[in-house]
Amino acid sequence: MGQIQDDGLPHWTLETIYPGLNSESFRADYDSWVDEIVALRSLFDQAGIGRVDHVLPTNTETVRALDSAIEATNAVETKGHQLYAYIMSYVTTDSRNTEAQGWMSRLQTQLAELEKLEPRLIAWVGSLDVSAITAQSPIARAHRFWLDRARTRGEHLMSQAEEELAADLNTTGGRAWSRFYSNFSSQISAEIEIDGESRVLPMTAIRNLASEPDRDLRRRAYEVELAAWEAHAMPVAAALNSIKGQANVLNRRRRWASPLDLALFNNNIDRATLDAMLDAARTHLPDFRRYLRVKAKALSVDRCAWYDLFAPVGKFERTWTFDTARAFIVEQFGSFSTSLGNMAIRAFADRWIDAEPRDGKRGGAFCMWVRNGESRILTNFQQAYGGVSTLAHELGHAYHNLNLVQRTYLQRGTPMTLAETASTFCQIIVRNAALREATPREQLAILEADLQDSTQVVVDILSRFMFETVLFERRNDRELSAHELCDLMLDAQRETYGDGLDEALYHPYMWAVKPHYYSAVFYNFPYMFGLLFGLGIYAKYRSSPQGFVDRYESLLSATGMESAAPLADRFGIDITRPEFWESSLALIAEDIQRFERLVGGAHS
């Protein structure tokens, strides 16, 4: 791996982490990690770490036990994450790699053993006087935020035996269904005619055709995609029902009022903040529908269909090849800060990026940290501005990872709400730079690509949130058929996209398309938070650039050590009030107005 393909799209290199899955260094690290899990269990047993029905004295023995537990947990989790990221780099780019799949299965079995220890530590922390112990221990003081949250999590634990059973069953339950979905969906392909030639393409390539300028090709790709999902819907629906059903059972057992309450806790925000953001988004839905009507005008159609959502508008004089994207991103990142620019140079030079769409590769894009500020970035690159924007977004995650390099594993637990901050910020840097250099036709194309993203992150995310909310409610009673899931998805799309799209041409199988439903609970609203929070942070940068970079990097380094509200307060932002969210959405509305003027000029 690591070679550059003939079409110029790179595969990431993994040899710098380990020479291969059969290498001595990989196997040695894996074996030592398994031994460290055993040693961690032994440490917990010897120190009596587990549920205690009384408050423990804050003495030397207790402090020493906590310090040892924190340091050992950080070490074993860090090594385990590196092994996981390495194996994931294989299975997400080639789901047919049976050797990598076997290693992932082995690793997940060991992760289950590690997961059994976590509730023991959390329950034990609940018996500590955290204020007293942090006064005596620098290690505990550095992990105060994690300790405080652990006490809350401890209130939602089942018995130790139940938690251990849940960890064991998860390897053949929710986690197994999630892995099944990833492997199964990555191997779906479909036949489509392109330029008079019948071709069989993987689903990632079929979905990429949604960005083609030829509307007939987009329509046929949409129809082929829906037919493919329909043909494969039953096992995918089984996976979704099983994952959500397990989540409901465990949430009830752990005494969470709802899956959403757990998601809010995991994302370090409260319900008032979420409601303020969602209410503001609903208020601005007419803006996005207006944008879609203007886009229909630009495309010379009466109304946009689903397959028009990603249709290009405007035209670039330049071709956004991967090499063009690389040079542009490096230059613009460097204009913001030396550290951001150097990180981008390193990411390209050291081949952190896998950009080629291909059979067996997971769709979409993501970034995962591996070790010491080093990341791996997966995209399915398209030679269009949208491909550049996605690449900038994922490199923003890598920049965030770099700023967390000095944090321990327990300190760097960044929630999804804050994990989108740097990625959104980097997208805006690239977007604004591209607009400055663009002709009017290019400005139209850039704004269109940006509004595509904003529509997905506000309108589509809202539809996904609505869908998942109802799905969890209905799943309490019984499993839902693929047909019922489609109906729920269409209801959510009607409520959000409304008359902005042709209601006869929505996408009922978006519940099958998005992998987020199969990996986490409410893995949707944090994206909206990230976009709107990132817009607000960027506005602060534009108004007060002096000293901003240092403050910004300090915020990124602390996203696992404070809740979202106090971090936002560092920049004078109150996320609990709707005014902030309204101000960010107003910036998008300004882009829509600018887009409308450009479309009007092009059609005059």
Side-chain angles (χ1 to χ4, degrees), residues 11-57:
H11 292 189
W12 51 30
T13 185
L14 302 178
E15 291 87 348
T16 54
I17 308 171
Y18 297 107
L21 290 167
N22 285 315
S23 67
E24 182 178 340
S25 57
F26 170 72
R27 289 174 178 268
D29 268 8
Y30 183 86
D31 290 343
S32 67
W33 176 63
V34 173
D35 290 341
E36 287 170 21
I37 295 173
V38 174
L40 186 63
R41 179 182 291 277
S42 177
L43 186 157
F44 281 17
D45 290 343
Q46 293 172 13
I49 293 176
R51 192 181 300 276
V52 179
D53 58 5
H54 59 276
V55 177
L56 291 171

Side-chain angles (χ1 to χ4, degrees), residues 532-581:
L532 301 181
F533 186 66
L535 283 170
I537 292 290
Y538 189 82
K540 293 292 184 181
Y541 164 60
R542 293 297 298 271
S543 63
S544 304
Q546 187 68 32
F548 178 87
V549 172
D550 288 342
R551 289 191 297 137
Y552 179 58
E553 291 185 343
S554 175
L555 179 147
L556 294 179
S557 74
T559 50
M561 300 177 68
E562 286 189 74
S563 291
L567 285 171
D569 191 55
R570 295 185 182 190
F571 290 88
I573 293 172
D574 185 355
I575 61 172
T576 66
R577 298 182 61 82
E579 288 81 3
F580 167 69
W581 306 107

Side-chain angles (χ1 to χ4, degrees), residues 78-303:
T78 299
K79 181 177 285 187
H81 179 85
Q82 178 173 313
L83 292 164
Y84 172 81
Y86 180 70
I87 298 169
M88 274 289 287
S89 297
Y90 281 96
V91 300
T92 54
T93 51
D94 182 9
S95 61
R96 292 184 174 86
N97 186 326
T98 55
E99 183 183 17
Q101 295 289 4
W103 276 109
M104 181 59 76
S105 180
R106 292 187 192 95
L107 182 134
Q108 289 184 338
T109 299
Q110 294 302 321
L111 284 176
E113 293 303 310
L114 187 55
E115 287 172 3
K116 294 175 186 177
L117 299 178
E118 182 184 33
R120 288 181 59 177
L121 180 58
I122 290 170
W124 187 70
V125 168
S127 66
L128 304 179
D129 183 336
V130 172
S131 295
I133 209 164
T134 53
Q136 295 188 30
S137 164
I139 293 174
R141 192 156 53 249
H143 293 82
R144 176 64 189 260
F145 183 68
W146 182 86
L147 289 169
D148 286 338
R149 286 178 58 78
R151 288 181 62 85
T152 300
R153 291 174 64 193
E155 297 169 2
H156 294 277
L157 286 177
M158 301 181 290
S159 70
Q160 182 62 37
E162 288 173 313
E163 290 290 353
E164 292 192 2
L165 178 61
D168 278 335
L169 291 177
N170 197 35
T171 61
T172 54
R175 182 175 287 141
W177 278 111
S178 179
R179 188 155 56 95
F180 164 80
Y181 167 81
S182 180
N183 295 336
F184 182 76
S185 61
S186 71
Q187 295 179 23
I188 297 174
S189 59
E191 185 175 0
I192 186 169
E193 184 179 303
I194 302 176
D195 296 330
E197 177 187 353
S198 182
R199 300 173 61 184
V200 176
L201 299 177
M203 186 62 81
T204 51
I206 292 288
R207 285 187 52 75
N208 276 351
L209 294 175
S211 299
E212 288 292 317
D214 183 345
R215 191 174 197 238
D216 184 63
L217 177 56
R218 295 198 306 270
R219 176 188 59 77
R220 288 186 285 111
Y222 162 81
E223 291 171 352
V224 165
E225 182 196 349
L226 291 189
W229 286 121
E230 183 177 10
H232 297 86
M234 187 175 72
V236 179
L240 186 62
N241 274 293
S242 298
I243 291 166
K244 300 308 183 188
Q246 175 179 299
N248 271 340
V249 170
L250 290 175
N251 283 324
R252 285 195 298 271
R253 291 278 187 171
R254 290 171 175 149
R255 299 177 301 282
W256 289 103
S258 72
L260 181 57
D261 285 277
L262 173 60
L264 291 170
F265 175 77
N266 287 339
N267 280 287
N268 294 357
I269 65 171
D270 58 19
R271 187 60 185 263
T273 298
L274 177 67
D275 288 344
M277 181 182 73
L278 295 182
D279 288 347
R282 292 186 180 96
T283 299
H284 281 264
L285 285 176
D287 291 330
F288 291 94
R289 293 169 184 165
R290 187 174 80 255
Y291 149 68
L292 291 170
R293 287 192 291 271
V294 174
K295 180 168 184 173
K297 178 182 177 182
L299 296 173
S300 300
V301 298
D302 291 335
R303 180 148 322 162

